[in-house]
């Protein structure tokens, strides 16, 4: 059949085409992404409409076929999508459903929100993002057919192909490879998804056929969640049968199945709202945890199974537990926390589920004494293990603390003040300079940590390897704010961490190694402007005036000229080759005294390029490094990471 000629496009047609064009312009807005995950969302949209029809009690077999031409079809045995002409748009209902961006909810009378992960943006999105979308409706004894192509353009208006005794809907679509990075359907992804749906939809049968490989999946669970738990625990040692309860309270349907396994120390709780997984839990899960904890504790107390007053904690009771919590919530009560709809927010669900599981579990425990006693015993063992583990951890921490204290005590010269913001830590190159700094410093708020030898290059080693290096372990424990992702700059014992090395190439290399360490393991210290490099002077210009020594320090050639002019004729210039050549008085006033020192703050101009630069500088690729150095370093300028502050 030819496409409709232009003048017959109605306003409704135009609006519809604009709607679907919008989907093609910004597909990710409708299906989250255009990678494999987004591709499979097209499948879930169609399957969910077939599921909704089964939920309404029409048909209980859904067949999904992956075809060789890259298309996929879904068949249900429902009533068949209506084909009667829709008054205002003068279009058959089925054409409207595949052309209009409506959530499924608007069209179907279902009480519960669509089961689609995207909450039913509807089949029209699948149509809009497909090369073709071919629909056959078996209804009223007729085989009705229509076809869209190229992103939802109607190419075959509704026609009758013949008669039939069947009823249901068949949708076949081929995703558009101009939209998707992959149009390769994955059998396992589809099979796993529909198997989960089968567990949630008692008695609905899902068949998945892959014509490319002849793979086949066939899922139907008449006991629903009970079989889901049994399936999850198939390789474990159950302590008892799968326990399941279902009921309704205040319009909310609750369906729970659970099972305990011996020698299983984890907990697996999966929750759903209207057959959509709530990955981040929410009010139904909180209610479940409260209710089951109370039920087991009350049973244990009433039967004198717990000694004394120590209550079993929730985690003790959930050790070895696998549970599925599935709620059906009417649209008007459905609330989520956050944007992703992965966490249920409906407030009533806490009390409803808590009372539900409390009452049912209490009844079950009283009816199954042997299991109940073994469960409480298992919980008491878990409690003892937890208490023992915590004691062991505290002991380990205190011994480690003692060990660290020992290391620190023989290395760190601490500041006397506890005003962490004002305190300054000088990380000094070499023991001798460390000694001079220790003598020269202001002992109230300046701490000295001398480093032995060159630190490791941390740009190419693991956290564990880094920690083995005593120098870094000492720095981490001295600063006291953790490291890596646990680093919290607000816990730092120092407002300034100052790297103080000789002003020679060795010193520069140590600076780079330390800056790399801080960049890799305490980046916020740099970002908050707490990392500095001390700038010991290169020269001292002096002369005797009336038996008094007058002098100036100079940090580079320009400074030197200025100092010579200030001191005037008869000056003497001494060159400092390293920190060790200064006495404590000179080191204090030239490099450590905030009133006269020069500090350079380590800053990260642009995180991405900094990361690149650090890895080039510290990486193993010397060619790339040499090229970077030639391009980026003017040898007469101070290090590119720093600008000068007091
Ligand atoms: C392979 C995908 O989409 N199946 C569907 C139906 C059945 C009805 C329906 C769908 C009511 C008026 C808008 C039929 N008879 N499978 C599917 N099966 N939608 S989608 O109705 C949609 C609304 O038009 C249906 C009576 N009531 C509903």
């Amino acid at each position: 059949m030819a496409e409709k000629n232009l003048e017959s496009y109605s306003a409704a047609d135009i609006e519809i085409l604009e709607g679907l064009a919008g989907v093609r312009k910004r597909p990710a807005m409708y299906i989250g992404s255009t990678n494999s995950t987004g591709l499979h969302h097209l499948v879930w949209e169609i399957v969910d409409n077939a599921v909704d029809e089964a939920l309404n009690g029409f048909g209980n077999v859904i067949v999904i076929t992956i075809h060789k031409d890259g298309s996929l079809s879904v068949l249900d045995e429902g009533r068949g999508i209506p084909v009667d002409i829709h008054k205002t748009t003068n279009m058959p209902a089925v054409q409207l459903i595949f052309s209009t961006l409506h959530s499924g909810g608007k069209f179907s009378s279902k009480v519960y929100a669509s089961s689609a992960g995207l909450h039913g943006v509807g089949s029209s999105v699948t149509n809009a993002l497909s090369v073709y979308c071919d629909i056959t409706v078996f209804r009223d004894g007729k085989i009705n057919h229509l076809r869209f192509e190229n992103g939802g353009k109607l190419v075959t208006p509704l026609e009758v192909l013949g008669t039939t005794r069947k009823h249901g809907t068949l949708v076949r679509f081929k995703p558009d490879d101009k939209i998707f990075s992959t149009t390769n359907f994955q059998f396992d992804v589809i099979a796993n998804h529909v198997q989960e749906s089968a567990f949630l939809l008692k008695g609905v049968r899902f068949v998945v056929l892959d014509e490319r490989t002849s793979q086949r999946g066939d899922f139907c669970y008449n006991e629903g969640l009970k079989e889901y738990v049994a399936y999850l625990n198939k390789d474990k040692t159950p302590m008892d049968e799968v326990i399941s309860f279902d009921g309704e309270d205040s319009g909310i349907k609750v369906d729970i199945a659970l099972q305990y396994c011996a020698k299983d120390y984890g907990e697996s709780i999966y929750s759903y709202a209207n057959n959509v997984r709530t990955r981040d839990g929410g009010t139904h899960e909180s209610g479940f945890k409260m209710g089951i904890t109370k039920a087991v504790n009350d049973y244990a107390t009433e039967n004198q199974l717990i000694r004394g007053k120590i209550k079993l904690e929730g985690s003790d009771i959930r050790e070895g537990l696998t549970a599925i919590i599935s709620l059906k919530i009417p649209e008007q009560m459905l609330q989520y926390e956050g944007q992703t709809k992965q966490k249920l927010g409906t407030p009533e669900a806490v009390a409803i589920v808590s009372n539900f599981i409390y009452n049912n579990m209490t009844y079950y425990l009283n009816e199954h004494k042997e299991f109940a006693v073994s469960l409480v015993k298992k919980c008491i063992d878990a409690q003892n293990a937890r208490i023992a583990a915590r004691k062991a951890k505290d002991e380990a921490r205190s011994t480690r603390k003692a060990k660290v204290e020992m290391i620190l005590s023989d290395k760190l010269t601490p500041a006397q003040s506890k005003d962490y913001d004002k305190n300054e830590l000088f990380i000094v190159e070499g023991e001798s300079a460390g000694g001079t700094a220790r003598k020269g410093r202001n002992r109230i708020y300046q701490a000295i940590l001398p480093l032995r030898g060159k630190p490791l290059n941390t740009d190419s080693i693991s956290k564990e390897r880094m920690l083995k290096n005593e120098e870094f372990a000492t720095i981490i424990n001295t600063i006291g704010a953790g490291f890596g992702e646990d680093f919290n700059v607000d816990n730092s014992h120092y407002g300034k961490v100052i790297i103080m090395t000789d002003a020679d190439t060795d010193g520069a290399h140590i600076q780079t190694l330390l800056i790399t360490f801080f960049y890799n393991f305490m980046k916020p210290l740099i970002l908050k402007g707490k990392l500095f490099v001390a700038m010991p002077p290169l020269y001292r210009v002096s002369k005797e005036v009336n038996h008094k020594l007058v002098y100036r320090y100079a940090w580079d050639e320009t400074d030197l000229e200025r100092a010579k002019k200030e001191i005037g004729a008869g000056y003497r210039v001494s060159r400092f080759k390293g920190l060790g050549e200064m006495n404590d008085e000179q080191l204090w006033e030239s490099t450590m005294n905030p009133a006269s020192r020069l500090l350079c703050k380590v800053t990260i101009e642009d995180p991405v390029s900094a990361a690149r630069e650090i890895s080039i500088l510290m990486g193993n690729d010397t060619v790339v490094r040499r090229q970077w150095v030639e391009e980026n370093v003017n040898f007469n300028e101070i290090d590119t990471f720093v600008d000068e502050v007091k």
Side-chain angles (χ1 to χ4, degrees):
M1 300 275 277
E3 223 168 280
K4 286 168 78 171
N5 47 41
L6 215 52
E7 60 271 9
S8 66
Y9 271 109
S10 69
D13 286 327
I14 304 291
E15 184 221 328
I16 280 171
L17 286 178
E18 275 160 6
L20 296 189
V23 176
R24 292 179 65 83
K25 255 207 288 296
R26 276 180 300 285
M29 263 179 65
Y30 297 88
I31 51 172
S33 68
T34 54
N35 58 26
S36 178
T37 307
L39 173 77
H40 287 84
H41 269 299
L42 301 190
V43 184
W44 312 150
E45 279 316 319
I46 304 299
V47 168
D48 286 325
N49 287 326
V51 163
D52 287 346
E53 186 62 357
L55 271 180
N56 286 320
F58 300 97
N60 52 16
V61 182
I62 295 171
V63 181
I64 298 158
T65 308
I66 306 170
H67 299 283
K68 288 191 176 120
D69 71 346
S71 66
L72 181 138
S73 63
V74 182
L75 168 69
D76 73 36
E77 295 181 348
R79 294 164 290 182
I81 303 180
V83 294
D84 50 304
I85 299 300
H86 193 258
K87 307 291 160 287
T88 45
T89 58
N90 196 24
M91 258 183 223
V94 57
Q95 180 183 337
L96 205 55
I97 287 176
F98 277 82
S99 317
T100 321
L101 285 182
H102 279 294
S103 77
K106 279 219 178 70
F107 283 98
S108 65
S109 57
K110 53 185 183 274
V111 171
Y112 301 110
S114 147
S115 60
L118 287 161
H119 297 289
V121 285
S123 330
S124 50
V125 168
T126 302
N127 184 15
L129 301 175
S130 293
V131 170
Y132 71 74
C133 187
D134 201 286
I135 302 122
T136 307
V137 175
F138 306 97
R139 187 182 166 92
D140 308 329
K142 293 196 204 83
I143 302 171
N144 304 276
H145 170 256
L146 70 162
R147 181 181 174 90
F148 298 89
E149 284 180 4
N150 223 345
K153 293 179 182 61
L154 183 69
V155 293
T156 310
L158 185 67
E159 60 183 354
V160 176
L161 299 181
T163 60
T164 177
R165 291 227 282 256
K166 286 199 295 188
H167 49 82
T169 303
L170 169 68
V171 175
R172 179 165 174 171
F173 67 94
K174 181 172 163 48
D176 190 336
D177 59 10
K178 293 194 295 300
I179 301 266
F180 292 97
S181 55
T182 167
T183 54
N184 177 31
F185 288 118
Q186 289 169 17
F187 175 83
D188 289 340
V189 168
I190 294 168
N192 291 343
H193 183 95
V194 299
Q195 181 177 19
E196 186 179 26
S197 301
F199 281 127
L200 295 165
L201 301 160
K202 230 180 242 186
V204 177
R205 184 179 168 210
F206 290 83
V207 178
V208 189
L209 305 169
D210 189 339
E211 288 185 343
R212 305 166 299 183
T213 61
S214 306
Q215 273 181 292
R216 181 186 169 81
D218 195 332
F219 310 106
C220 183
Y221 302 102
N222 293 317
E223 294 184 278
L225 297 186
K226 233 177 149 141
E227 294 186 75
Y228 195 173
V229 170
Y231 172 78
L232 293 174
N233 287 344
K234 63 186 186 317
D235 307 326
K236 294 182 189 172
T237 329
M239 282 168 66
D240 186 33
E241 60 177 346
V242 177
I243 308 166
S244 72
F245 315 110
D246 61 75
E248 174 159 351
D249 182 343
S250 325
I252 290 182
K253 284 185 183 164
V254 184
D255 192 356
I256 292 176
L258 63 94
Q259 182 176 48
Y260 278 94
C261 291
K263 297 196 298 297
D264 174 15
Y265 303 107
E267 62 179 78
S268 312
I269 297 180
Y270 303 100
S271 58
Y272 295 82
N274 295 344
N275 299 323
V276 176
R277 177 87 191 278
T278 40
R279 239 169 257 296
D280 299 335
T283 45
H284 48 353
E285 271 195 37
S286 319
F288 172 79
K289 291 178 178 176
M290 284 162 57
I292 195 165
T293 303
K294 188 168 169 20
V296 175
N297 268 301
D298 288 1
Y299 181 87
T301 313
E302 276 148 34
N303 293 276
Q304 290 84 35
L305 297 171
I306 326 184
R307 297 177 312 287
K309 285 280 147 273
I310 318 167
K311 283 263 172 270
L312 297 164
E313 279 190 13
S315 60
D316 303 332
I317 284 161
R318 293 194 300 272
E319 191 185 271
L321 172 63
T322 300
I324 314 273
I325 306 152
S326 173
L327 262 61
K328 304 291 179 4
I329 304 174
E331 193 73 27
Q332 70 275 15
M333 293 176 81
L334 195 51
Q335 280 178 49
Y336 290 97
E337 267 181 54
Q339 298 311 312
T340 58
K341 301 199 168 182
Q342 307 266 326
K343 187 167 184 178
L344 185 67
T346 304
E348 299 89 334
V350 179
I352 288 175
V353 178
S354 176
N355 296 331
F356 179 78
I357 189 65
Y358 178 81
N359 296 331
N360 281 285
M361 194 64 183
T362 302
Y363 179 79
Y364 185 87
L365 292 173
N366 287 305
E367 292 294 302
H368 301 79
K369 193 166 184 51
E370 193 185 334
F371 164 70
V373 170
S374 64
L375 173 61
V376 171
K377 189 186 166 324
K378 175 182 172 47
C379 296
I380 291 171
D381 292 348
Q383 181 185 50
N384 296 335
R386 174 171 51 79
I387 293 167
R390 184 165 304 158
K391 210 159 59 229
K393 215 186 300 183
D394 290 348
E395 272 154 21
R397 190 175 292 123
S398 57
T399 35
R400 193 171 54 245
K401 200 166 162 37
K403 185 166 165 292
V404 161
E405 297 307 336
M406 189 275 290
I407 290 180
L408 286 188
S409 62
D410 78 1
K411 296 184 74 114
L412 175 70
T413 306
Q416 283 165 6
S417 135
K418 285 285 168 265
D419 174 357
Y420 289 161
D421 273 346
K422 190 165 183 319
N423 283 359
E424 301 176 343
L425 173 67
F426 282 82
I427 300 179
V428 187
E429 175 193 358
E431 294 295 341
S432 72
T436 314
R438 193 173 294 128
K439 280 203 288 292
R441 72 191 169 123
N442 173 320
R443 60 188 60 240
I444 308 294
Y445 62 88
Q446 288 184 334
I448 308 296
L449 181 64
L451 280 193
R452 264 202 334 267
K454 280 204 177 167
L456 277 175
N457 171 354
T458 55
D459 215 43
S460 52
I461 60 171
S462 71
K463 220 189 293 186
E464 293 65 34
R465 178 88 179 70
M466 181 277 294
L467 271 180
K468 282 203 176 60
N469 176 280
E470 198 173 291
E471 309 295 86
F472 288 135
T474 309
I475 290 176
I476 290 168
N477 291 306
T478 304
I479 294 175
F483 69 96
E485 58 275 356
D486 303 331
F487 180 71
N488 179 352
V489 65
D490 299 332
N491 295 343
S492 168
H493 291 179
Y494 299 95
K496 285 190 173 68
V497 175
I498 301 165
I499 300 170
M500 187 154 76
T501 66
D502 287 346
D504 58 15
T505 45
D506 260 0
H509 189 204
I510 288 175
Q511 280 174 23
T512 315
L513 291 166
L514 286 172
I515 290 173
T516 305
F517 163 74
F518 285 113
Y519 178 82
N520 284 327
F521 294 101
M522 296 189 197
K523 195 189 291 189
L525 198 76
I526 300 177
L527 296 173
K528 288 262 178 148
K530 291 175 179 284
L531 184 64
F532 297 85
V533 173
M535 301 300 287
L538 288 179
Y539 306 98
R540 192 173 72 145
V541 182
S542 62
K543 76 176 179 187
E544 284 275 330
V545 176
N546 314 336
H547 307 296
K548 218 167 123 346
L549 188 71
V550 178
Y551 56 84
R552 287 280 179 283
Y553 290 105
W555 279 265
D556 58 24
E557 311 310 327
T558 328
D559 251 359
L560 180 57
E561 295 317 310
R562 175 185 57 72
K564 287 176 183 171
K565 286 201 182 59
E566 280 182 25
I567 298 295
Y571 61 75
R572 199 163 60 83
V573 177
S574 50
R575 175 96 166 69
F576 293 118
K577 285 215 177 24
L579 297 170
E581 288 181 348
M582 279 183 236
N583 64 33
D584 52 304
E585 180 54 32
Q586 290 164 340
L587 187 59
W588 157 252
E589 64 178 0
S590 70
T591 313
M592 298 175 76
N593 178 351
S596 48
R597 72 188 174 191
L598 197 57
L599 281 189
C600 292
K601 185 186 288 183
V602 176
T603 57
I604 298 178
E605 297 319 317
D606 148 27
V608 173
S609 66
R612 200 172 62 78
E613 285 166 3
I614 286 251
S615 48
I616 287 176
L617 273 178
M618 309 310 294
N620 301 324
D621 187 335
T622 46
V623 172
V624 175
R625 179 164 51 232
R626 166 149 306 290
Q627 185 204 338
W628 184 86
V629 169
E630 268 143 28
E631 280 164 19
N632 288 281
V633 180
N634 304 335
F635 283 91
N636 57 4
E637 262 180 29
I638 297 173
D639 190 325
T640 49
F641 282 107
V642 296
D643 46 45
E644 302 189 358
V645 288
K646 269 286 169 236

